[in-house]
Amino acid sequence: MPSKSVTVGSSVGLHARPAAIISEAADGLGSTVTINGVDASSSLMLMTLGAKCGDTVEVAGEDQSAVDSIADLVEKDLDA
Amino acid sequence: MVTGPIVTLTANPSYDRTVALNGPLERGAVLRVTQMTSQAGGKGVNISRAAVCAGLATIAVLPSRPDDPFVHELAAAGIDCHPSRPAGDIRVNLTLTEPDGTTTKLNGPGAPVDAGHLEDLAEMLLRHAAGGSWTVLAGSLPPGAPAAFYAGLVARLRKVSRVAVDTSEGPLAALVDRLSVAAPDLLKPNAEELASVTGTDAQELETDPGVTAKAARTLVDRGVGAVLATLGGRGAVLVDGDGAWFAPPPPTTVVSTVGAGDCTLFGYLLAELRGLPAPDRLALAVAYGSAAAGLPGTTIPRPSDLHPEAVDVQQLDPS
């Protein structure tokens, strides 16, 4: 299964706005993508990870391009 | 934000043994057993297991010999276990299951404790609670313990940690009698337990979230930080100083409700530790409880089993 380790780029971590943006993007994909084992389309589950800026997380899924697109978002500073 | 571990107390731990019979249970007969399983159990232990599953640090405090297999089992499960001086052997709770689904439970009493054992346990707990985020007092007390044991602990713990309590009968009544000095930050009663301490009717609470919120509100008014009242298959009600919310569970095929209440409580704590607002805390609590109910035995849901978005949280009239 494709997976990718990436560093969280948002200054607030995977919380609030970044979690909402990532979950919306994941919801629009044709396949399920997980971040550290939780469904990336659930902003609430993303926030339970407590992942902070600079933390490394594992993005995984069945489809490589879906994993890549979510991994790119995780690396960006979405709160900027 | 680094949060300290969730510290759990299991005052009356048990080995939960399940014996599957290949036919009906017959008194006086020799019966064949098809399967026998054993697990270190207790409400506090379940909450520590859920914490490990979610990647949170946790400490379990319980009375046990340091070399008891119970302690080794928890350590192997990733739980930092701190045993205090026990009064005797860890009890056994035996469940006999028959092929037609009938179950018979034989619950051991636990070794009787004296004041010295309880003070050892309290001191062990206080030592670890000081570095923790939440301290959870859950489950029954061993024989010999005064009903006010939890109330006394809450009064001492309040100075060093946030405290959640999930208990019933005498220990719950004794705690509610002493809320002026021992109000916990979170209380998690079911309908029957909430009814018993608020002079209301359990059946009415279970069918009407508004009535449940009103009963829970009386405890919040007396100093309890938040009341998370579980209503079995009907979901849960959360009342705190800011409001009241109700969430029915998402459609769930119930397999085993054993441990579901413990998972509900853990879901609330996890959301609270991540700084989420009250409606999200209730959503995660209900998502955890219903995911646990859909899994066999006391199996703890993994984060990938959870669907809090499927939980519809409704704000209740504050009156």
Side-chain angles (χ1 to χ4, degrees), chain B residues 84-218:
Chain B
S84 77
R85 184 172 58 95
D89 291 336
I90 290 179
R91 70 194 170 120
V92 173
N93 286 344
L94 192 63
T95 301
L96 305 176
T97 66
E98 298 169 51
D100 70 353
T102 307
T103 64
T104 306
K105 298 201 71 167
L106 305 167
N107 285 355
V113 295
D114 63 28
H117 294 117
L118 291 173
E119 189 50 31
D120 285 358
L121 186 63
E123 276 169 20
M124 179 69 83
L125 180 68
L126 280 153
R127 203 177 315 145
H128 292 288
S133 53
W134 278 88
T135 304
V136 184
L137 312 180
S140 65
L141 295 176
F149 180 62
Y150 280 152
L153 279 180
V154 173
R156 293 163 75 179
L157 284 163
R158 285 208 305 181
K159 300 174 188 92
V160 298
S161 168
R162 283 175 295 167
V163 189
V165 182
D166 177 7
T167 190
S168 59
E169 298 175 25
L172 177 63
L175 178 69
V176 170
D177 279 346
R178 292 163 179 77
L179 288 181
S180 59
V181 291
D185 299 275
L186 177 68
L187 194 64
K188 197 216 76 64
N190 61 25
E192 199 181 319
E193 290 154 1
L194 182 61
S196 75
V197 291
T198 56
T200 47
D201 179 67
Q203 212 156 12
E204 206 184 334
L205 295 185
E206 214 158 271
T207 49
D208 188 339
V211 176
T212 301
K214 220 168 168 177
R217 169 72 55 209
T218 63

Side-chain angles (χ1 to χ4, degrees), chain A residues 15 37-39 41-45 47-50 52, chain B residues 1 270 274-276 280 283-284 303-304 306-309:
Chain A
H15 214 77
V38 309
D39 186 347
S41 69
S42 166
S43 66
L44 219 160
M45 288 312 297
M47 290 193 281
T48 66
L49 294 175
K52 294 173 287 292
Chain B
M1 181 181 62
L270 174 59
R274 298 308 187 200
L276 301 180
D280 286 350
L284 197 61
S304 58
L306 296 167
H307 304 287
E309 266 69 17

Side-chain angles (χ1 to χ4, degrees), chain B residues 228-249:
Chain B
L228 176 61
T230 51
L231 307 176
R234 291 177 188 266
V237 166
L238 174 65
V239 177
D240 67 10
D242 299 323
W245 298 267
F246 164 61

